[in-house]
Amino acid sequence: MLLFLLPLISSLVLPTSSLTQEGLYLQHIKHSLDDPDSALSDWNDQDDTPCSWTGVTCDNASHVVRSIDLSSANLAGPFPSLLCRLPNLTFISLYNNSINSTLPADLSTCHTLQHLDLSQNLLTGALPATLPDLPNLTYLDLTGNNFSGEIPDSFGRFQKLEVLSLVYNLLDSALPPFLGNISTLKMLNLSYNPFFPGPIPPELGNLTNLQVLWLTACNLVGEIPHSLGRLNKLTDLDLAINDLHGPIPASLTDLTSVVQIELYNNSLTGGLPPGMSKLTKLRLLDASMNRLSGPIPDDLCQLELESLNLYQNSFEGTLPVSIADSPNLYELRLFQNKLSGELPQNLGKNSPLKWIDLSDNQFSGSIPATLCEKGAMEEMLMINNAFSGEIPASLGECQSLTRVRLGHNRLSGEVPVGFWGLPHVYLLELADNQLSGPIAKTIAGAANLSVLLIAKNKFSGSIPEEIGWVENLMEFLGNDNKLSGALPENIVNLRQLGMLDLHNNELSGELPRETQSWVKLNQLNLANNQLSGKIPSGVGNLSVLNYLDLSGNRLSGQVPVGLQNMKLNVFNLSNNHLSGELPPLFAKEIYRNSFLGNPGLCGDLDGLCESRAEAKSQGYIWLLRCIFILAGLVFVVGVVWFYFKYKTFKKANRAIDKSKWTLMSFHKLGFSEYEILDCLDEDNVIGSGASGKVYKVVLSNGEAVAVKKLWRGKVKECESDDVEKGWVQDDGFEAEVDTLGKIRHKNIVKLWCCCTARDCKLLVYEYMPNGSLGDLLHSSKSGLLDWPTRFKIALDAADGLSYLHHDCVPAIVHRDVKSNNILLDGDFGARVADFGVAKVVDASGKGAKSMSVIAGSCGYIAPEYAYTLRVNEKSDIYSFGVVILELVTGKLPVDPEFGEKDLVKWVCTTLDQKGVDHVIDPKLDSCYKEEVCKVLNIGLLCTSPLPINRPSMRRVVKLLQEAGTEKHPQIGKKEGKLSPYYYEDASEHGSVA
Ligand SMILES: *[C@@H]1O[C@H](CO)[C@@H](O)[C@H](O)[C@H]1NC(C)=O
Ligand SMILES: *[C@@H]1O[C@H](CO)[C@@H](O)[C@H](O)[C@H]1NC(C)=O
C-alpha cells in the first residue's frame, strides 16, 4: 500500500521537479538509507534523469536505469525494495555496505534482474525462497552475511543461475542434493557455513557446467563421491577443512580441466590415485593434513605443477627424480611424512623453487647444489632429517634466502663463507650437526639476521669482532661448540640481543664491562668456559635479565652487590673462584646451589666457606647461644611486667561510655560491640586516613576484624593526594551504610556492623591480612606480586566493581577507586573496600546531586570531572583503568618522575615514544608479555578521555577474562595452510636449552 502511494506523495512534495519517475524512486531510496559518508550526495532532484548519479548506469538510447552499483559506499539500512520499481534494472551491487535486517520477499518483483551482489553486508534471517522466481537471474552472491537456517528447496529451480555464492554465512541445515538440479551453474561456493554434518551430495556430479566447486569448511563427512569425476569443465575443486574419509576416488583423474585441487585437512586415506598424469592442466595440489600414504607417484611429477603440498601425511619412499624436471614448481612442502632416500641431485635446476619444506622426514644424502640455481629460493626448511655432507658452496651465493633451517641433520665440514652473511636471512639455524670451522667474518653482512642458532656443532676459533655489526641479532645460541678466545668487545653493541647462550665452549678472557647497551638481554649463559677475571658490577644493571649462568668458569673476586637487585629465575655462579662475603640478601638456603664450589666465598649457608674451620667456630657458637638465651629471658620478663602495668593503667583511663553506643549489624555477629570498644587501643592502629583511624582487633573467638573509627566533623582537608572527604558530615549516613552493609560479594570487603555514638562512628569490616594493593605494589614487597597474581587482583577488583555497577539496585558508584582501596586477603584475593564517598545512584540518575565535595584521589580522577563535577559509573571505570596501569607499570598514579603528567599521560607518551617495553614493570617476567600487553590495552581503554569510549565494568571483566584465557595462542597455522616450521619459534624445537 505504502509503495503504491509513494510516487503520489513525491509528486506532491516536489511539484516543480522534472526528474523522471525512476529518479524519484531513487530519491526515496536515498532517504531510506543511512549515508554517513554522503556517498549519494549527487543524487539530487535538479537533474532530469538519474543517469549521471553515482553508481547509476542507464541505457544510452532510452535513458532507463540498467544498473545500480553502490559497492563499498558505507550505506546502512534495510534492503531498498523500491529498486524493483525500476522496470529495466538488470544489475544491483551493494557489495560491502551495512545493509541489515532480513531480505524482503518482494525482491522477487525485480523481474529483469540478472546480477544481484549483496555480499559483505549485515543481512540476517532466512534466504528468501522467492529468489528463484527471478527468471533472468544468473549471478547471486550473498557471501559474508548472517543468513541462517536452510537453503530453501526452491533453490533447485533456478532457471539461468550461473553463480551461486553463499560463503561465510550461518546456514546450518545439511548440504541439499537439489543443488544438483541447477544445471546452468558454473560456480558453486558454499564454503565456511556451519552446515549440519553430511556427505557431499553425489547429485553435484550432474552440474556438468561447473567450473568452480568451493566447499571448504562445510562440515562434510563420508567419502568423496565418484560422480564428481564427471565435472569435466571443473578448474577449481576445493574440499579442504572437512572430515572426509576414505580414498581419493580414481575418477578425479577425469577432471581434465582442473587447475587446482585442495583436499587439505580431511581424514583421507590411501594413496594418490594412479593416472594423475591425465590432469595436464593441474598446477596446484594440496592434500596436506590427511592420512594419505604410499609413494609420491612418478606421473604426478610429469605435470607442470607450481605448488605441491602433501605435508602431514604418511607418504613414504623416495621423491621421484622427475620432480626436478618440473619447469614451474616454486612451492614444495612435504614436511612430516616418512619420505627417505636422497633428493634428486638437480632439484631446483629447472624449477624456480621459492619455498621448500622437507622437515621431519628421513631424507639422507647431500643437499643438492642446484637448489637455488634460479635465484628464487627464500625458505629452505629441512630440519630433522639425515642430510649429510657439506652445505653446498652455491648456497653461499643465494641472496634471496630469508629463512634457513638445517638443524638436526648430519651436515659436516665448514659452512660456505658467503652463507654467514646473506643479507636477507633473518633465521639461520644450523644447530645439532657436525659442522666445523670458524664463524666467518662475512657475518658482518647479515643485516637482517635476528636469530642465529648454531649450537651443538664443532665450530671453533674465536667469535669474530664482526658479530657486533649484526645489529638486528636477538638470539645467538652457540652452546656446545669449541669456540675459543675472548668474547669480542663489541658484542655489547647488540642492542636487540635478548638471548646469548655460549655455554660449553672454550671461551677465555674476561666478561665484557660496558654492557649498558644490552637493554633487552634476558638470558645470559656462559657456563662451562674458561672465563676469568671479576664479574663486572654492570651485570647488576641488566634490568630485564632473568637467566644468568656463569658457572664452571674461573671468575674471581667478590659477588657484585648489585646482583641482589635482579629478579632472576635462574642464577648460577657455582664452581668459580669467587671469594669474599656473600651479599646479605643471598644468604638464603634457596641461593645455596647458586654459589657452591667457590671455596673462598663466605656466607651463612651450609656448604659455603668450608675453610672457616669447624673447630674454631664451635666455641664461638656456644658462647653466642648462651648470650642469646640470656638476652631472650630478660626481654620476656620485661614484656610481661610492662603488659600488666599498662593494662591497669589503661583500665583506669578508659573514658568511653559504653551505654551511649547504638549498633547496626548486617551479618550474624559472633561478637559484641563492647568487645570491640575494649580493643580500640593506639597500639592496635594499622592505618590512618583523612577520615579516621583503622584498628586491627582480634576478638575472643580468635577472629580478626578491622575497625574504622570516624570522627564527626573532624575531617581534614585535601591532603595533597588523598582527597577523601565524604559522608562523614552527611546526614544520610545511616541509610547509606545500610545499603552498603547489605552487599554480599566475594570481591567486596564485608561490612560486619556499624556502631554510632554522639561524636563517633565505628565501621567494623572483615580484616584483610595482606593489606592494600597500593601499599604492597609500591613498597619493597612488590616482588610478591608476580604477573599471575596481579592479573587475578585486576580481575577480582573488576568483578567487585561490576557487581556494584550492574547488580546492585540501585547501582552504586564507588567514587574513590584506587589501589589503596583494593584490599588483599590471605591468598591475595582482592576485595574492593572503603566506600568512603560512595553514593547510591538513584534511579532518576541524579546520584551526583549531593556531591558538593571533591570525590576521588589525585591521579585517579577522570578528566571530565574537572568541568562537570559529576561522578558516575564511567568515572569509576577511569579510576579502575588507572589501577590497571599501576599493576602493569608498577608505578604510582602520580609521581614527580612524570613531571606535570599523571600515570595515564606518562603511559601514553612513553608508549608512543619508546615502546611498550619501557612501560611494563621490569620486575614482571617477560614470558607474560603478551598477556601484560593485552591488560595494558584494557587499562588504556578504561582511561579513555571521553567517558563514552570507556567500556562498562561488565565488559571490562569480559575483556580481562579473554586476555587471560589466550595464554598459549596456537600460532603458526592459518587455516592449516602454513607449515609449522614457517612461524614456529626456535624454542619449540628443542634447540634452546
Ligand atoms: C539497520 O541500520 C539502520 C541504519 O544504521 C539502523 O538505524 C537500524 O537500527 C538497523 N537495524 C537493525 C535491525 O540493526
Ligand atoms: C523497459 O521495460 C518496460 C517494461 O517492461 C518495457 O516496456 C520497455 O521496452 C523497456 N525498455 C527498454 C529500453 O528496455
Side-chain angles (χ1 to χ4, degrees), residues 239-459:
L239 306 176
I241 320 181
N242 283 295
D243 198 16
L244 296 168
H245 282 76
I248 299 175
S251 66
L252 289 197
T253 60
D254 298 334
L255 299 174
T256 46
S257 305
V258 84
V259 175
Q260 174 167 342
I261 300 180
E262 306 267 12
L263 302 172
Y264 62 88
N265 216 336
N266 277 290
S267 301
L268 300 170
T269 48
L272 294 178
M276 293 196 68
S277 56
K278 285 195 283 179
L279 305 178
T280 52
K281 303 234 171 82
L282 189 66
R283 296 293 172 268
L284 189 151
L285 173 61
D286 192 341
S288 316
M289 296 185 275
N290 278 289
R291 292 189 229 135
L292 298 168
S293 55
I296 295 175
D298 197 38
D299 61 349
L300 179 67
C301 299
Q302 288 155 19
L303 303 171
E304 294 182 19
L305 282 177
E306 293 175 10
S307 167
L308 179 59
N309 287 326
L310 299 175
Y311 58 84
Q312 292 181 358
N313 278 292
S314 298
F315 287 107
E316 61 221 356
T318 58
L319 199 57
V321 179
S322 53
I323 199 152
D325 301 329
S326 229
N328 300 315
L329 192 69
Y330 65 86
E331 179 178 29
L332 179 63
R333 301 193 196 266
L334 301 173
F335 60 89
Q336 287 182 13
N337 276 291
K338 295 174 181 165
L339 296 164
S340 57
E342 299 199 7
L343 297 184
Q345 279 308 301
N346 55 347
L347 187 62
K349 190 173 172 66
N350 307 310
S351 332
L353 284 176
K354 197 169 177 181
W355 302 308
I356 179 167
D357 191 343
L358 306 175
S359 304
D360 270 329
N361 278 290
Q362 291 139 29
F363 285 117
S364 56
S366 56
I367 296 175
T370 48
L371 269 186
C372 190
E373 188 121 331
K374 297 272 187 191
M377 179 76 75
E378 290 179 11
E379 289 167 16
M380 186 169 95
L381 311 179
M382 300 185 164
I383 50 176
N384 283 334
N385 277 287
F387 288 112
S388 58
E390 298 192 2
I391 297 174
S394 58
L395 288 182
E397 283 142 35
C398 187
Q399 303 276 319
S400 52
L401 276 174
T402 61
R403 197 169 171 90
V404 178
R405 305 200 69 183
L406 301 177
H408 310 278
N409 278 290
R410 297 179 197 155
L411 300 167
S412 57
E414 292 199 11
V415 174
V417 172
F419 205 60
W420 292 105
L422 292 171
H424 299 118
V425 169
Y426 60 91
L427 168 61
L428 178 57
E429 178 181 348
L430 305 172
D432 201 4
N433 279 288
Q434 286 145 38
L435 297 161
S436 56
I439 301 173
K441 288 180 184 301
T442 48
I443 200 166
N448 279 299
L449 190 63
S450 70
V451 181
L452 176 60
L453 308 174
I454 59 167
K456 299 189 185 168
N457 278 288
K458 295 176 184 164
F459 290 114

Side-chain angles (χ1 to χ4, degrees), residues 103-139:
L103 207 50
D106 60 6
L107 188 58
S108 57
T109 59
C110 280
H111 285 298
T112 46
L113 202 58
Q114 295 168 10
H115 183 111
L116 178 59
D117 185 350
L118 298 175
S119 56
Q120 308 300 345
N121 279 291
L122 303 170
L123 292 162
T124 57
L127 294 170
T130 52
L131 279 173
D133 298 343
L134 299 174
N136 296 311
L137 197 66
T138 57
Y139 184 102

Side-chain angles (χ1 to χ4, degrees), residues 79 157 192 297 365 376 383 489 536 584 717 754 973:
F79 179 81
R157 298 198 306 264
Y192 300 104
I383 50 176
E489 272 299 323
E717 292 301 312
C754 157
K973 282 194 186 170

Side-chain angles (χ1 to χ4, degrees), residues 59 62 64 66 87-88 112:
D59 187 87
S62 61
V64 299
R66 288 285 188 201
N88 306 79
T112 46

Side-chain angles (χ1 to χ4, degrees), residues 705-722:
V705 293
V707 181
K708 187 161 191 177
K709 186 171 174 186
L710 303 160
W711 291 97
R712 183 178 282 268
K714 261 192 160 183
V715 184
K716 293 185 214 159
E717 292 301 312
C718 174
E719 293 182 332
S720 70
D721 71 333
D722 200 351

